[in-house]
Amino acid sequence: MVVEDEEPPSVVTFPTEIILEILLRLPVKSVLRCKSVCKSWCSLISDPQFVKSHLAMSTRSNYYRQHRLVFSTERNIINFDKSSIFSTNQGTRIESCNLDDVLYDNSVNNALELDYPFRRLSKRVSIVGSCNGLVCIDVDKDVLYIWNPSTRISYRLPPTGTYRTQPGVYVLHGFGYVESTDDYKVVELSSRNKDKHKHENFVKIYSLKSGNWKKMDAFPHGFQLHIGYGKFCNGALHWAASKYLGPWTIISLDLAKETYGEVLQPLYDAGDDKVLRLGSLREQLCVLCDYPGIRADVWLMKVYGVKESWAKLISIPYLTDPGTDRFFMLLCMSNDGKILIQFWQRKLIVYDAKNGSFSEIQSLYRCFDACTFVESLVSPMPAAGPGDI
């Protein structure tokens, strides 16, 4: 029997500790919605310590639920002008999908086009790298952004003053994090060819906390940089470099001390034509040593800075004609031995170390750049000043 004047049951309330544990396990999109529930939840979610704890829990997940692949592909943009009915310019679109779909379904069918800066313009966008859920992008070789794809907040870096369109000048970047000062830094390495054997290198570094670019000591003398952005690991950026006709060297740049170093390499098999590609697996430095037309060996440095800790994880045979399908970059390796690799042919391949099979990612056309990131609430905005959104 229902009594009409009976008081409604009181709302069940949970202890703050339980609410906190639930929120920490939610994906970013759900957490952002929860900010609208009440003031106390909004305050809790906005707290810097919550942001760090949420990132740490997402990073530790072994099921890639919060891990995503972000990649750039070609798109056609139709522009109407006076001289013709329409003209088509090729720009770049950036898409993202669950890493789980890529590794286990070999598909990007569920990929979403992201709303990155300049998306509506015919601009080329390069993905520099990712760190703590933030992605650094280079728009049309002109403007650098630090961008959170999950929250869709971006910050435009001030110009570096480097004229990257000059003949004989090429530029590489790196993006990383300094834990001791809770600061994000972007490094620009520019090189100008004086002649066949001489290169002038210039280095600038940007601190998100200070909001300024500053000049650094030049890149170690005589070394020529090779294709690829700096790989962040153990608080440092890393590049594969070599002197003219000399051996490969791994140059490091400690982002906290802003000093250069050299990482001692493993004992590779003989072969003068090998090519090194750097990467980061499970937050550890790795090397993909490519023997063209034969195989690629994957090495992992289990204890950073200790040469004896290098371990060969696997040897990956060539899939097809090495003249067109050269190994380019190792993006990810799952706990059960699935390896995501980018090829020069602008395609992505999943190699299964257990059975030695290759699977090309379906529904993906011309992958220019790619990297993995974990969804986070980390803000790309500097602590002081509003910046540009």
Side-chain angles (χ1 to χ4, degrees):
M1 184 176 65
V2 178
V3 180
E4 293 184 359
D5 60 350
E6 186 178 31
E7 291 291 332
S10 59
V11 177
V12 177
T13 59
F14 291 97
T16 303
E17 294 79 8
I18 295 179
I19 295 175
L20 175 62
E21 289 299 319
I22 294 173
L23 292 175
L24 286 174
R25 286 164 171 78
L26 294 178
V28 169
K29 189 175 181 179
S30 298
V31 173
L32 293 176
R33 288 175 177 171
C34 289
K35 292 182 71 174
S36 303
V37 171
C38 60
K39 290 183 179 180
S40 61
W41 282 27
C42 181
S43 177
L44 174 64
I45 293 169
S46 302
D47 186 271
Q49 186 56 51
F50 177 87
V51 173
K52 290 183 179 180
S53 299
H54 184 271
L55 171 64
M57 184 162 291
S58 299
T59 303
R60 289 195 300 266
S61 173
N62 294 325
Y63 300 101
Y64 305 107
R65 291 171 183 167
Q66 316 296 344
H67 293 71
R68 299 186 68 85
L69 173 73
V70 60
F71 56 94
S72 62
T73 62
E74 193 174 81
R75 66 170 173 162
N76 292 329
I77 302 175
I78 298 177
N79 297 319
F80 293 89
D81 57 32
K82 296 179 180 179
S83 61
S84 62
I85 298 177
F86 65 87
S87 61
T88 302
N89 293 327
Q90 290 183 335
T92 304
R93 73 173 184 265
I94 297 182
E95 299 185 12
S96 176
C97 62
N98 287 325
L99 191 56
D100 188 87
D101 291 341
V102 179
L103 292 175
Y104 296 100
D105 293 336
N106 306 134
S107 173
V108 292
N109 286 327
N110 296 324
L112 300 175
E113 184 173 357
L114 301 178
D115 188 17
Y116 62 91
F118 287 107
R119 183 177 69 87
R120 294 168 181 83
L121 301 179
S122 55
K123 299 285 188 178
R124 286 287 186 187
V125 180
S126 300
I127 300 173
V128 175
S130 66
C131 184
N132 293 344
L134 301 180
V135 178
C136 182
I137 59 176
D138 184 0
V139 180
D140 217 26
K141 296 184 178 180
D142 184 48
V143 182
L144 290 164
Y145 278 86
I146 300 176
W147 167 51
N148 186 324
S150 304
T151 63
R152 294 186 289 182
I153 299 175
S154 63
Y155 173 72
R156 178 174 178 169
L157 275 61
T160 66
T162 302
Y163 297 99
R164 292 190 261 175
T165 58
Q166 287 183 342
V169 175
Y170 68 95
V171 177
L172 296 176
H173 292 98
F175 174 57
Y177 175 65
V178 182
E179 186 174 4
S180 60
T181 58
D182 192 25
D183 191 13
Y184 292 87
K185 293 187 177 183
V186 178
V187 175
E188 178 183 270
L189 305 178
S190 59
S191 180
R192 182 174 62 193
N193 298 332
K194 297 184 67 175
D195 55 47
K196 185 177 180 180
H197 308 306
K198 292 183 180 179
H199 308 270
E200 284 185 332
N201 294 318
F202 305 91
V203 184
K204 296 178 182 178
I205 188 167
Y206 179 84
S207 163
L208 189 62
K209 270 200 167 182
S210 69
N212 296 315
W213 287 98
K214 69 176 182 180
K215 292 183 179 179
M216 274 193 56
D217 293 337
F219 202 71
H221 179 71
F223 282 102
Q224 180 181 3
L225 297 173
H226 294 271
I227 294 175
Y229 294 107
K231 304 303 177 185
F232 178 70
C233 183
N234 292 92
L237 289 168
H238 303 82
W239 287 269
S242 67
K243 294 185 177 181
Y244 180 69
L245 296 179
W248 289 87
T249 302
I250 299 177
I251 301 295
S252 65
L253 172 55
D254 187 301
L255 292 180
K257 300 177 182 178
E258 298 184 357
T259 55
Y260 299 103
E262 179 182 343
V263 177
L264 298 179
Q265 300 176 65
L267 296 176
Y268 307 113
D269 292 343
D272 294 334
D273 59 346
K274 60 180 176 290
V275 180
L276 302 187
R277 304 291 179 201
L278 303 184
S280 177
L281 291 179
R282 305 160 190 165
E283 300 183 354
Q284 296 174 309
L285 183 65
C286 74
V287 172
L288 189 148
C289 184
D290 181 14
Y291 300 89
I294 305 173
R295 70 182 192 281
D297 294 339
V298 178
W299 293 82
L300 186 71
M301 195 176 213
K302 295 186 175 181
V303 181
Y304 186 74
V306 179
K307 180 179 180 179
E308 292 75 19
S309 71
W310 281 106
K312 185 192 292 187
L313 296 183
I314 193 171
S315 292
I316 307 174
Y318 261 85
L319 173 63
T320 56
D321 178 12
T324 58
D325 269 359
R326 292 286 302 276
F327 288 96
F328 180 61
M329 189 183 304
L330 195 151
L331 296 171
C332 173
M333 183 173 181
S334 67
N335 293 329
D336 58 354
K338 293 186 181 295
I339 304 173
L340 180 61
I341 311 166
Q342 184 179 2
F343 279 74
W344 276 109
Q345 197 79 6
R346 293 176 176 172
K347 63 184 179 182
L348 298 180
I349 299 289
V350 174
Y351 176 72
D352 192 329
K354 288 186 176 180
N355 56 30
S357 63
F358 288 89
S359 300
E360 183 173 352
I361 304 302
Q362 300 300 312
S363 305
L364 180 62
Y365 174 70
R366 303 192 73 177
C367 174
F368 295 114
D369 300 304
C371 73
T372 61
F373 72 96
V374 60
E375 290 186 314
S376 82
L377 297 162
V378 176
S379 173
M381 305 301 290
D388 297 325
I389 301 179

